[in-house]
Amino acid sequence: MTQNAQDTAAGKGEMGSLLLGAGFALASLIILPAVAQRIGLGSSLTIALRGALMRAANRV
């Protein structure tokens, strides 16, 4: 592969990781609490789920 093609492939991988991490953050901060409130989950369970999503976002 040429240098330009390698840079493009690396850029796509970084962009995908960034989007996935942003999606996890959005889910844990906004979507998860809204859904939890709607279905009646307790706050401790909601916090545990939020923590799990944030750990998953850090692994990306």
Side-chain angles (χ1 to χ4, degrees):
M1 250 198 256
T2 66
Q3 182 65 28
N4 193 17
Q6 288 174 349
D7 290 343
T8 303
K12 286 182 181 178
E14 290 175 6
M15 185 60 135
S17 294
L18 180 65
L19 289 174
L20 189 58
F24 278 134
L26 177 71
S28 69
L29 294 174
I30 297 172
I31 298 171
L32 179 67
V35 171
Q37 182 181 10
R38 182 76 169 169
I39 63 175
L41 287 179
S43 62
S44 60
L45 184 57
T46 303
I47 291 169
L49 290 172
R50 180 183 286 174
L53 278 174
M54 292 307 282
R55 280 192 302 273
N58 285 335
R59 289 183 186 161
V60 174

